[in-house]
Amino acid sequence: ETGVTQTPRHLVMGMTNKKSLKCEQHLGHNAMYWYKQSAKKPLELMFVYNFKEQTENNSVPSRFSPECPNSSHLFLHLHTLQPEDSALYLCASSPDRGQKGTEAFFGQGTRLTVV
Amino acid sequence: EDQVTQSPEALRLQEGESSSLNCSYTVSGLRGLFWYRQDPGKGPEFLFTLYSAGEEKEKERLKATLTKKESFLHITAPKPEDSATYLCAGSGGYNKLIFGAGTRLAVHP
């Protein structure tokens, strides 16, 4: 396996359900990200982890709870979501190059529908 | 506030008709400008990184350029398989990418 793998690819959940999204990267990167992509809106950064430590929480509601047990795995735990949370959730990873910006490599995303 | 704006929102080209996509940015302390391609239902695919004004990168029919205020993605003699959404992003903070809304490109035979 190579790259960034996300599971599941599609998820339909009720507003009272609890579910988790999983992301795994095989690129040896030290930074991992969650992004949200809604129709006709720019990708929204949700969370950033560097060396397993959360370094960015972009004012994300607490119904989204990230977890990063190691530099290769990232989870997004979901509970009591709203229909407006329906979107494509993308995981990405990037190498750590200090102050220089680095390109992020994305997974295929999880298409989430909240009913 | 850091911002990235792409234009046009959508572009329709005939096969072989060259054009350019624009990405304007106001990102303080820009640490890099990135271009991605995204096909429907898939994650963005990395294309180019530009770090300095005047820098250019090329890949097949695509060439990306950077000035102090904007970046262009030039598409020369496009083919239908170049149809996709092209995303531009600026790196404004440590490991933080700010994306534009994208340009949807359709190339017709």
Side-chain angles (χ1 to χ4, degrees), chain B residues 10-33:
Chain B
L11 181 62
R12 178 189 170 111
L13 298 174
Q14 290 298 121
E15 185 173 2
E17 180 186 2
S18 301
S19 189
S20 297
L21 313 183
N22 177 264
C23 171
S24 298
Y25 63 90
T26 52
V27 177
S28 59
L30 186 77
R31 290 172 172 80
L33 191 292

Side-chain angles (χ1 to χ4, degrees), chain A residues 9 31 33 35 37 42-43 45 48 50 56 90 96-104 106-108, chain B residues 9 31-32 34 36 38 41-44 46 49 51 87 91 94-101 104:
Chain A
R9 291 294 310 278
Y33 313 76
Y35 281 87
Q37 188 174 36
L43 270 77
L45 179 64
V48 181
N50 282 288
E56 185 89 19
L90 291 160
D96 178 21
R97 295 191 189 135
Q99 293 301 307
K100 202 171 188 180
T102 58
E103 58 275 10
F106 287 82
Q108 298 289 36
Chain B
E9 185 176 320
R31 290 172 172 80
F34 306 88
Y36 288 83
Q38 186 173 25
K42 297 189 174 182
F46 169 72
T49 305
Y51 288 112
L87 303 173
S91 177
Y94 188 60
N95 285 346
K96 182 177 179 179
L97 292 182
I98 301 158
F99 279 86
R104 294 191 310 279

Side-chain angles (χ1 to χ4, degrees), chain B residues 51-107:
Chain B
Y51 288 112
S52 306
E55 189 175 358
E56 297 183 355
K57 292 276 180 73
E58 281 190 73
K59 180 180 179 180
E60 296 181 355
R61 295 176 293 281
L62 301 177
K63 183 169 81 172
T65 62
L66 181 66
T67 72
K68 288 187 177 180
K69 292 184 178 180
E70 55 193 351
S71 178
F72 293 94
L73 185 66
H74 307 280
I75 303 177
T76 302
K79 298 182 178 181
E81 53 262 42
D82 294 322
S83 298
T85 296
Y86 290 86
L87 303 173
C88 169
S91 177
Y94 188 60
N95 285 346
K96 182 177 179 179
L97 292 182
I98 301 158
F99 279 86
T103 293
R104 294 191 310 279
L105 174 66
V107 181

Side-chain angles (χ1 to χ4, degrees), chain A residues 11-41:
Chain A
L11 178 63
V12 179
M13 60 185 289
M15 288 188 283
T16 59
N17 290 160
K18 289 184 179 181
K19 296 287 185 183
S20 295
L21 310 185
K22 179 183 176 182
C23 176
E24 183 174 2
Q25 60 99 356
H26 303 274
L27 300 170
H29 292 163
N30 295 313
M32 295 190 76
Y33 313 76
W34 281 116
Y35 281 87
K36 175 183 178 182
Q37 188 174 36
S38 304
K40 297 191 175 182
K41 292 177 67 176

